[in-house]
Amino acid sequence: MTVAVVFLQVHVTQDNVGRLMLFGEGGPPHSLLALHTPADETQVVALYLHGKWWPIGEVLKTSSKSRHGLLIVQSVMERVILFLLSQIIFGVMEKPLGESMYFSAPSALEYGKILWQDGEAVGFYTIKKKGSLCDGCTGQSYLLPVLDTVFVRTHWRRNGLALQMLQDFCTSMSKESVLGISRPVSTSMYGVCKKYLETHKEQRERLYEVDAPGEWSQRRNVWLNIQLQHRPAHSANSDGSPHSTRAMARTLIDNKGKVLEGIPQVHTSAVKGIEANKP
C-alpha cells in the first residue's frame, strides 16, 4: 500500500508506522496510528482514522460551514486537530530553523480554541483556567486565567490572527480583573501585545507576564515591560509565531511488526469526504 501526500508517496510498512500519544503526561493512554517517512520518524505524513489513512493536511480541513473563526475545542476530532497543530505542525513541519521552543502535548482537559479560516484549521490558543492545577506533581492551582500557548500557521501569518486571539482571550475573560500570559513571552508575542495595548488602553493594568501559579510576586505588567523595553532574548518570527513556556512531550513509539495487524491496506491518494466521517 502507498499513501500519496501532495507530491510525496510513502509506502505503509511495519518500519514506518508508529503511535503518537494524544495527551500529555498523566493523561489517558490514548494514541494515534501515524505514518512517517522512512528516513525520519519525526516527519509524520498521515494518520489512520476511521479505517483509512489521511494525509495531515486533509485532517486539518473541514467541509462544515459553521466552522469559522475561533471555536472552543470540544469533540474528540477537535482534540486530534489541536494535537496536530501543536505537536506536528509547529513541533516539526513548520518549526523555524534554530527554534528551541516546543509545546507540551495538550492535556485531555485542556481549554483551547482552534482558529478556522476558509475551511482549514490555521491556528490555536490554549488557556490555563483559574483554579486549574499547575501540574500533576504539586497541589498548586492557577490564581488567574493564563494565556499559555498561541500559534498561527506560517502561511497565515502577518494577517493579525495572533492579535485576534489575544483580543478573544481578553474579552472572553471580561469578569476577571487580572489576566496572565505565561512566561517567557517570545519577542513576537511582545509585538502582538504592544499592538493590542496601544489601542486598548483599558487593558494595560490588566495583563501580566506570570510564572505559575501566578502569585503577585510572580507577575510583571506587560505594558510596563514594553515601556521599559524589557524584551526577551529569544527571537522568533513576526505576528503569529509560537508562544509557550513548556517543553513538548511528544512520543512516537515504533511497534515493529505488530502495528499493522488488523489494518486494511487502503489506497488514499484521493482523499474525499473526511468531514462526513468525523465525529
Side-chain angles (χ1 to χ4, degrees):
M1 173 191 171
T2 300
V3 176
V5 186
V6 190
F7 299 109
L8 177 68
Q9 289 194 339
V10 180
H11 294 282
V12 179
T13 70
Q14 65 183 31
D15 293 323
N16 64 340
V17 174
R19 292 187 181 275
L20 292 170
M21 301 309 297
L22 183 58
F23 300 116
E25 185 177 355
H30 302 315
S31 63
L32 299 169
L33 202 60
L35 177 67
H36 58 81
T37 60
D40 186 354
E41 67 179 19
T42 67
Q43 297 297 320
V44 176
V45 296
L47 295 181
Y48 192 78
L49 301 168
H50 305 293
K52 299 173 66 175
W53 285 104
W54 299 97
I56 296 298
E58 295 297 327
V59 180
L60 296 175
K61 293 181 180 179
T62 180
S63 59
S64 174
K65 294 182 179 179
S66 64
R67 282 185 177 173
H68 181 76
L70 284 161
L71 299 177
I72 298 173
V73 174
Q74 294 179 312
S75 70
V76 173
M77 196 61 211
E78 288 165 345
R79 290 283 169 195
V80 171
I81 291 172
L82 180 63
F83 172 86
L84 287 179
L85 288 171
S86 67
Q87 303 300 290
I88 305 301
I89 302 301
F90 168 65
V92 179
M93 297 174 67
E94 296 184 8
K95 184 181 177 183
L97 291 174
E99 176 62 73
S100 59
M101 186 179 291
Y102 291 92
F103 293 153
S104 297
S107 72
L109 300 176
E110 193 91 2
Y111 180 90
K113 288 187 178 183
I114 294 173
L115 180 58
W116 296 89
Q117 295 281 329
D118 298 335
E120 185 175 357
V122 303
F124 74 93
Y125 77 83
T126 63
I127 296 173
K128 296 301 183 186
K129 284 195 165 185
K130 183 178 179 179
S132 63
L133 289 175
C134 297
D135 54 51
C137 302
T138 68
Q140 290 186 315
S141 300
Y142 282 93
L143 301 176
L144 72 169
V146 176
L147 181 62
D148 193 49
T149 58
V150 179
F151 175 67
V152 177
R153 298 192 64 184
T154 304
H155 179 70
W156 293 87
R157 293 178 187 172
R158 299 182 181 275
N159 290 302
L161 299 182
L163 184 63
Q164 178 184 341
M165 287 191 276
L166 175 60
Q167 182 170 354
D168 184 81
F169 166 65
C170 292
T171 56
S172 65
M173 300 290 167
S174 59
K175 294 182 179 181
E176 299 290 341
S177 59
V178 180
L179 299 175
I181 299 180
S182 59
R183 195 195 311 266
V185 180
S186 67
T187 301
S188 60
M189 193 62 193
Y190 260 102
V192 173
C193 291
K194 184 175 185 294
K195 288 181 181 179
Y196 178 70
L197 295 174
E198 282 176 343
T199 56
H200 295 81
K201 297 181 179 180
E202 73 283 0
Q203 301 289 343
R204 293 178 182 178
E205 296 298 322
R206 191 175 179 230
L207 202 58
Y208 287 79
E209 182 180 354
V210 303
D211 288 315
E215 300 278 1
W216 275 108
S217 61
Q218 298 172 307
R219 306 177 188 181
R220 188 174 181 88
N221 184 267
V222 173
W223 181 248
L224 178 62
N225 277 0
I226 293 170
Q227 296 303 299
L228 297 177
Q229 297 183 336
H230 286 174
R231 302 294 182 85
H234 168 81
S235 65
N237 295 330
S238 58
D239 177 39
S241 5
H243 163 66
S244 177
T245 64
R246 301 168 296 154
M248 181 176 70
R250 178 174 54 82
T251 305
L252 179 60
I253 305 172
D254 201 349
N255 291 276
K256 305 293 184 182
K258 296 183 179 180
V259 77
L260 294 179
E261 293 179 4
I263 301 174
Q265 302 296 286
V266 182
H267 182 74
T268 58
S269 58
V271 180
K272 296 180 181 179
I274 187 170
E275 187 61 29
N277 294 322
K278 289 181 182 178

